[in-house]
Amino acid sequence: MTNNRWVGMLALVTAAALLAAPVADAQSIRGSIQGTVTDDSGAALPGVSVTVSSPALQGTQTIVTEESGAFRIAALPAGVYKVVFALDGFQTIEQEEVRVGIGAKAQLDVKMTSTFTEQLIVTSERPTINTSSAELGAALGQEFFLDLPIQRNFTSVARVTPGAQADDSGQTFYGSSGAENAYYIDGVNTTGIELGQQGKTLNFEFIQEVQVKTAGYGAEYGRSTGGLINVITKSGGNEFKGDVFGYWDDESLQSNLSGEAARGAVSGTFQVVDFTRSDFGADLGGYFIKDKLWFFVAVDQVTNEDTLSSLENFGAVIPGAPALGDEFIDKQERDLFAGKLTLQAAPGHSLAFSAFGDPTDRSGPLGSLASTPLHFQETRETGATDYALNYDGVVTDKFIVSARLAEHNEEDVTSGPGASVTGFIDFTDPLGDGTTVWGWPGRESGFGFFQNLDLSREQRNLDLTYFVNDFGGQHEFKAGYEFEDISGENENWNGGGGQRVYRFNCNPAVRFCGDPAQPYYYRHRYYIDPALEDDDPTTFTTASIRAPLTTGIKTENEDLYLQDTWRPISNLTVNAGVRWGSQSLFNALGAVSADIDDNVAPRVGLIWDPTKTGKAKVFWHFGRFYETIPMDIVIRSFGNEVQIFAYNLSDDPNDVAHDPRVRSSRVLGGGISRVDPGTKGQYLNEFVIGGEYEVRDGLSVGVKYINRDLKSVIEDALAADGDYFIGNPGRGQMIGTYDLGYAFGYNDTLHLLDDPKREFDGVEVSVSKRLTKNFQFLASALWSELKGSYDGTFQASTGQLDPNLNSAFDYFDFSVNNEGLLSNDRTWQFKFDGIYRFAFGMNAGFSAYYREGTPITAMGYSTAYNNWEYYLSRRGAFGRVDPDYEIDVHLGYPVKLRKGMELNLLLDIFNLLDVQTETRRSTRYTTADELCFGICPINWETGEITTIVPGDTRFPPTNPAFNTATDWTDPRSIRIGARLSF
């Protein structure tokens, strides 16, 4: 056995041993180059020497074609390669600029011409269409996105991808909400642990490539019902290279607001009167030992500072509150860092250690100014730190091993003087403008609800790949085992000092308040020890309060997958695989509250190249994709959380006992929510069919049809005993729920629930051009329809981000009228992103989009949640928000300096045409009122359903702002920058 094979076997044993530790998601971060070599007659050519080289590769790699003429060079880092084919008696072929993406296969089928003359070098055309995959998405290198006018966040790169748009929770893909994606950096799962959003910020200069998978991906990839965003950071190289960079924009570089946008900017309690954005950093890559040990390090500080001016003289009503024109600074500092070491332990065996983080401090008025500084002046420390150790090894020419140890750590800590002061909120409208405020005369107001989080995800995985070339064609068998162990601690503070006190007008006609002259009554809200839940609330004292309510968090995610990429003939590929997953969610007592197992996800795809030249493909794909449940459900439903709403006539924070003369005190939460034992995982089925054709060198056109159908949902609902429980709405024990009448003692009727629905249908046309003749672009047009009754883990219709705990099925009232066009539906979307490099040196980037507006629904106010939760009309019944569009431009001019240094002067112009178009309208049909102004979706006494339509004379809107614009595109702004490269 060769030394290299001993190294590989030792690494395999080590990788297997790592799996004895708590272990997560396997994501390929390396790719391959494969193909077949034939002669002029089409006969296979064995013995051809195939050599690859690249600045991304330590040394070179060489293999020899097999009897069938097939070759494969695997475990290659993402980058641009040169491939040389050589055989005595044949002309040498050099194929340059072969791009290997993250986890991608570059197909090179080469024909060699015999010669008896002097050896010649022939450069052939490189392929542009991946004829071995049905994946939709894009692989975007730094040489492209650095010249685009986009925000400096890797998820901004993802929005270039066809099918991508955004909601308030992040990037969305083909109908899935922005909280359903998975995010990976150097193989580390950096998805937010609590809520499932983007959990990491990474500077552009750190990134080598961003790969976005939007649909059609194989069984190797999971943990997402949306898209998958995979990032590879730089590794260094055999030359020392670095950058020093800086970017800046402020108020003076932004145009003035105009029209409705200007009037809308002064809504709320403050307006931004000045701002600065700065971004300064440096990076350096190189080697300790050439072709053996490389390094890359980078640092970057990003500072955002806003000056906020009060719009009201709040101090006239609330002593100590801001006066008109008082200014406050809201400042955020983010310190980004990244480092990587890459070691070639032996030819074909690589170890890479990565570390990166984004610790962030934000301080200032982080809330409404209609209160005292003890409520809104906060400091918040957030961010995550990640570590990864990746091994990739070619054990034999047919056997590859990849293994990973990784860890993702998050923190979110709130502090400030108001953290220890009892929070007060006044529902008596002291300002007389229809709003409620924190604090009232003579009272200092502390923080509202806040959390302190310290969470960690330990990640392990092992992937094995085996190649077979003589079993009915070529096969690439791949199997993997994945495990995640998530743990940590959450602190819930129910207001400053652990309590909140609310003041209400006392109306003797509705409830007895003791002395009729008493104008107010009070609610004391706090957490208690669950052991006291059944005690008499009249005996509660401040000793009952748990401040904070501390919850231990734990969950385990386990996955297995098996897939085969089979080429029975040279122009046909069959991708078939299956993924099995399970998730164990632990409660605060250390027991398993929910086992979501048997998540079986089949994937199958067919890809056919009718031209047999690599210039076209027709493809079909079916797949099932399961959600990985974020930890919000563990914190809120399994965290042993019990709250008290204790009502009395005292505003004293120390007087927390119930007064029977006022309304009944209530216990909220059962400590640990019940789970229907038959609960199945949340998943969708996806069907994709399409074709792609290279119409000329480097220019490809594609057409795709995408269908995504959500088949199962995990959510909470109200049980007969008044507690919430977890299950699949419309099935099993959650076949129905109860209405708000029951919650307030009026109605105990079980109402049946329909299965939640969300279906996306779309037809997409895309045009892409690789960089030829100094020009590169990606363009797309998408027609789609998104309909159903469930937005997703982010409930855009109510603005709620509580994955698997949204309010959609809490009460039956919330499900009435809830069907139609969903919140993120846009019939048409067009986008274009391209770059051009002028002969005189300037680089230009251009981004533009046009999209139709989202649907408008009449929403009604619910006192139970103090939010607009009712669907008074069918979804989308009131038309759409106006279409919006934008054009952005980037200019970069490089200036050559001495000793190989280059200074690039940068300019970005966002919203070049300064089109301040509406992007959202108010859906609030009613104002806040306990009795809905008589407009409720269901009559609690008769059961009659009310469905409002445009122009409804029975129930006209009581909110004059309904269906008026509330948000607009940002005005034209300019960002200036410079990057010194050496």
Side-chain angles (χ1 to χ4, degrees):
M1 183 178 291
T2 65
N3 289 337
N4 288 354
R5 295 184 70 180
W6 277 114
V7 171
M9 293 304 295
L10 178 61
L12 176 59
V13 173
T14 303
L18 293 177
L19 293 175
V23 241
D25 202 63
Q27 301 293 338
S28 292
I29 61 174
R30 294 194 167 221
S32 63
I33 300 175
Q34 63 185 31
T36 303
V37 183
T38 59
D39 62 16
D40 285 333
S41 67
L45 274 182
V48 178
S49 175
V50 185
T51 302
V52 299
S53 60
S54 169
L57 181 67
Q58 291 175 319
T60 62
Q61 288 193 27
T62 300
I63 58 95
V64 175
T65 58
E66 302 177 359
E67 286 295 324
S68 63
F71 72 92
R72 180 182 292 102
I73 303 179
L76 296 174
V80 178
Y81 285 78
K82 177 181 178 181
V83 187
V84 178
F85 300 86
L87 180 65
D88 288 344
F90 289 83
Q91 293 178 335
T92 296
I93 293 179
E94 291 186 1
Q95 174 66 72
E96 297 184 340
E97 296 187 13
V98 177
R99 173 169 292 281
V100 174
I102 304 170
K105 302 177 183 68
Q107 184 73 27
L108 281 180
D109 294 321
V110 174
K111 180 177 291 187
M112 300 185 73
T113 301
S114 62
T115 178
F116 298 99
T117 60
E118 183 180 354
Q119 188 107 350
L120 299 176
I121 295 178
V122 179
T123 300
S124 61
E125 294 182 356
R126 56 192 173 98
T128 60
I129 295 176
N130 186 352
T131 58
S132 64
S133 173
E135 289 181 358
L136 305 188
L140 305 165
Q142 190 186 60
E143 70 281 357
F144 181 55
F145 64 72
L146 268 183
D147 285 331
L148 289 178
I150 55 181
Q151 300 303 316
R152 291 174 48 75
N153 185 339
F154 70 85
T155 55
S156 298
V157 179
R159 71 112 179 114
V160 173
T161 310
Q165 62 175 62
D167 65 13
D168 288 341
S169 62
Q171 290 290 336
T172 73
F173 302 99
Y174 300 133
S176 297
S177 73
E180 298 177 45
N181 305 319
Y183 301 86
Y184 290 85
I185 301 175
D186 283 350
V188 185
N189 184 358
T190 64
T191 310
I193 292 175
E194 182 191 14
L195 299 174
Q197 298 171 283
Q198 177 188 359
K200 168 68 63 176
T201 304
L202 196 66
N203 178 277
F204 268 13
E205 278 76 13
F206 304 174
I207 298 171
Q208 179 176 327
E209 182 173 322
V210 179
Q211 181 192 61
V212 186
K213 298 177 184 290
T214 58
Y217 43 91
E220 178 184 358
Y221 302 96
R223 310 203 186 285
S224 166
T225 52
L228 190 145
I229 301 174
N230 210 345
V231 177
I232 293 296
T233 62
K234 294 180 179 178
S235 300
N238 285 332
E239 297 180 7
F240 292 101
K241 294 182 179 181
D243 303 281
V244 177
F245 54 85
Y247 299 84
W248 176 273
D249 66 296
D250 62 16
E251 179 74 17
S252 67
L253 298 175
Q254 178 175 285
S255 65
N256 294 326
L257 294 169
S258 61
E260 287 188 350
R263 292 188 290 275
V266 297
S267 62
T269 62
F270 63 83
Q271 63 178 333
V272 178
V273 295
D274 196 9
F275 70 85
T276 59
R277 309 280 186 265
S278 63
D279 184 342
F280 298 99
D283 62 77
L284 177 66
Y287 63 90
F288 292 115
I289 305 173
K290 280 191 174 183
D291 286 328
K292 192 75 173 178
L293 181 60
W294 292 352
F295 74 89
F296 177 79
V297 293
V299 293
D300 183 16
Q301 184 176 80
V302 182
T303 302
N304 296 338
E305 186 172 301
D306 292 340
T307 302
L308 312 180
S309 177
S310 175
L311 290 172
E312 300 279 353
N313 184 16
F314 299 109
V317 177
I318 308 169
L324 176 64
D326 282 357
E327 293 186 350
F328 299 86
I329 300 297
D330 180 355
K331 185 175 183 179
Q332 176 179 278
E333 288 187 346
R334 177 174 286 129
D335 294 307
L336 307 175
F337 66 87
K340 183 188 283 187
L341 288 173
T342 305
L343 171 68
Q344 183 178 228
H349 299 274
S350 175
L351 284 170
F353 174 75
S354 301
F356 42 90
D358 60 349
T360 302
D361 288 342
R362 184 181 176 188
S363 60
L366 307 186
S368 168
L369 297 185
S371 54
T372 67
L374 280 174
H375 173 62
F376 60 70
Q377 287 282 19
E378 298 180 13
T379 297
R380 193 172 176 190
E381 300 175 28
T382 59
T385 304
D386 296 82
Y387 309 95
L389 178 62
N390 286 286
Y391 164 75
D392 293 280
V394 181
V395 180
T396 72
D397 59 351
K398 295 182 180 298
F399 186 37
I400 298 173
V401 178
S402 297
R404 179 173 303 117
L405 295 171
E407 188 170 311
H408 172 76
N409 302 293
E410 295 181 10
E411 73 164 3
D412 187 342
V413 178
T414 299
S415 60
S420 59
V421 177
T422 301
F424 285 88
I425 190 168
D426 193 343
F427 277 109
T428 63
D429 189 14
L431 299 181
D433 62 357
T435 63
T436 57
V437 299
W438 283 88
W440 61 80
R443 290 293 180 194
E444 292 182 327
S445 177
F447 290 173
F449 171 84
F450 64 96
Q451 287 177 272
N452 290 332
L453 286 162
D454 186 2
L455 306 177
S456 176
R457 179 194 290 118
E458 294 184 0
Q459 173 184 340
R460 311 289 187 268
N461 59 267
L462 176 66
D463 295 300
L464 306 176
T465 305
Y466 190 72
F467 302 101
V468 177
N469 289 329
D470 54 0
F471 185 61
Q474 298 178 359
H475 293 265
E476 178 184 338
F477 294 107
K478 193 164 190 177
Y481 173 71
E482 310 167 6
F483 191 90
E484 289 182 343
D485 185 359
I486 299 173
S487 61
E489 188 173 88
N490 171 74
E491 294 179 351
N492 276 1
W493 291 84
N494 207 339
Q499 183 188 170
R500 278 182 284 179
V501 179
Y502 302 74
R503 181 169 77 166
F504 300 89
N505 287 317
C506 189
N507 184 353
V510 176
R511 59 183 59 86
F512 177 69
C513 299
D515 182 356
Q518 170 66 43
Y520 308 117
Y521 72 98
Y522 301 87
R523 175 200 294 164
H524 298 257
R525 179 175 181 175
Y526 50 89
Y527 294 109
I528 66 165
D529 188 327
L532 302 175
E533 179 184 347
D534 296 327
D535 286 1
D536 184 352
T538 62
T539 65
F540 287 164
T541 67
T542 52
S544 307
I545 299 176
R546 291 296 173 262
L549 175 70
T550 303
T551 303
I553 296 169
K554 182 175 175 58
T555 186
E556 293 179 351
N557 306 328
E558 188 173 24
D559 284 73
L560 292 166
Y561 73 87
L562 177 65
Q563 68 181 30
D564 177 22
T565 301
W566 174 36
R567 296 185 73 192
I569 55 178
S570 63
N571 63 330
L572 177 65
T573 301
V574 180
N575 291 326
V578 64
R579 186 179 184 91
W580 174 89
S582 71
Q583 192 166 15
S584 297
L585 306 175
F586 291 75
N587 61 41
L589 303 180
V592 175
S593 272
D595 258 329
I596 312 297
D597 55 9
D598 294 332
N599 294 339
V600 179
R603 316 271 176 87
V604 61
L606 297 174
I607 307 97
W608 175 54
D609 175 8
T611 68
K612 297 184 179 181
T613 63
K615 294 182 178 294
K617 70 176 179 181
V618 178
F619 59 93
W620 170 91
H621 184 269
F622 169 81
R624 177 168 293 177
F625 299 86
Y626 278 88
E627 174 209 22
T628 294
I629 302 171
M631 292 304 95
D632 189 41
I633 196 170
V634 173
I635 295 170
R636 296 193 56 208
S637 293
F638 307 143
N640 222 7
E641 175 184 312
V642 177
Q643 293 188 67
I644 290 292
F645 276 13
Y647 294 90
N648 59 32
L649 299 174
S650 172
D651 63 357
D652 184 351
N654 294 313
D655 185 356
V656 298
H658 168 65
D659 188 327
R661 296 174 297 172
V662 198
R663 61 190 296 178
S664 297
S665 295
R666 290 193 291 154
V667 175
L668 284 80
I672 296 174
S673 296
R674 302 188 302 275
V675 179
D676 183 350
T679 300
K680 302 299 182 183
Q682 180 161 318
Y683 73 90
L684 59 78
N685 287 341
E686 176 186 271
F687 174 76
V688 178
I689 187 169
E692 192 171 352
Y693 180 67
E694 185 177 356
V695 295
R696 61 170 63 180
D697 182 25
L699 180 66
S700 300
V701 177
V703 180
K704 302 104 178 175
Y705 166 74
I706 307 103
N707 174 270
R708 277 185 164 178
D709 191 1
L710 190 65
K711 290 295 187 181
S712 178
V713 168
I714 295 177
E715 275 291 348
D716 65 337
L718 188 68
D721 58 5
D723 286 335
Y724 294 99
F725 74 105
I726 310 297
N728 300 126
R731 305 176 188 178
Q733 295 182 9
M734 203 181 284
I735 194 170
T737 186
Y738 299 84
D739 62 37
L740 274 170
Y742 171 80
F744 288 102
Y746 303 128
N747 195 335
D748 59 358
T749 302
L750 177 68
H751 301 272
L752 298 182
L753 288 171
D754 293 328
D755 287 348
K757 300 179 182 66
R758 186 184 72 191
E759 185 169 10
F760 175 91
D761 282 290
V763 177
E764 179 179 272
V765 177
S766 60
V767 183
S768 63
K769 182 183 182 300
R770 71 177 181 221
L771 186 60
T772 57
K773 298 181 179 179
N774 297 324
F775 186 32
Q776 180 178 0
F777 71 83
L778 178 60
S780 63
L782 174 64
W783 172 92
S784 64
E785 183 179 65
L786 179 63
K787 58 186 179 181
S789 59
Y790 182 72
D791 282 333
T793 55
F794 172 60
Q795 188 169 267
S797 58
T798 63
Q800 184 186 10
L801 179 58
D802 270 314
N804 308 105
L805 293 174
N806 290 335
S807 62
F809 309 99
D810 286 5
Y811 302 116
F812 177 71
D813 311 49
F814 294 171
S815 67
V816 175
N817 297 323
N818 180 21
E819 192 160 346
L821 295 175
L822 294 177
S823 303
N824 286 332
D825 176 73
R826 296 181 189 270
T827 306
W828 286 102
Q829 298 180 69
F830 302 89
K831 62 175 67 174
F832 178 95
D833 294 272
I835 62 173
Y836 187 83
R837 297 176 179 172
F838 292 93
F840 61 88
M842 178 175 286
N843 298 326
F846 182 84
S847 295
Y849 71 82
Y850 170 92
R851 59 192 181 193
E852 288 200 347
T854 51
I856 302 167
T857 304
M859 304 295 292
Y861 185 80
S862 164
T863 304
Y865 289 173
N866 300 321
N867 191 34
W868 283 259
E869 302 282 348
Y870 293 134
Y871 298 89
L872 299 180
S873 74
R874 300 275 290 180
R875 283 179 175 262
F878 282 78
R880 292 183 179 274
V881 177
D882 288 347
D884 69 284
Y885 61 94
E886 187 171 315
I887 297 174
D888 306 322
V889 175
H890 167 88
L891 297 175
Y893 188 76
V895 179
K896 301 292 184 181
L897 304 177
R898 296 176 57 187
K899 298 181 179 179
M901 301 175 69
E902 181 179 272
L903 178 63
N904 205 339
L905 304 176
L906 307 169
L907 178 71
D908 292 282
I909 306 175
F910 302 100
N911 195 0
L912 178 68
L913 303 181
D914 199 19
V915 180
Q916 298 176 31
T917 307
E918 67 175 58
T919 58
R920 183 178 303 173
R921 293 189 195 173
S922 171
T923 60
R924 298 177 176 182
Y925 199 79
T926 65
T927 55
D929 185 88
E930 282 196 35
L931 300 179
C932 315
F933 285 108
I935 310 176
C936 297
I938 182 171
N939 187 307
W940 294 335
E941 295 181 357
T942 67
E944 181 183 356
I945 301 297
T946 299
T947 304
I948 291 174
V949 296
D952 203 320
T953 57
R954 302 169 301 159
F955 303 105
T958 57
N959 178 15
F962 171 69
N963 211 0
T964 62
T966 58
D967 288 282
W968 299 262
T969 51
D970 291 331
R972 180 175 53 238
S973 63
I974 297 174
R975 181 178 67 199
I976 57 176
R979 184 169 57 248
L980 177 65
S981 301
F982 53 89

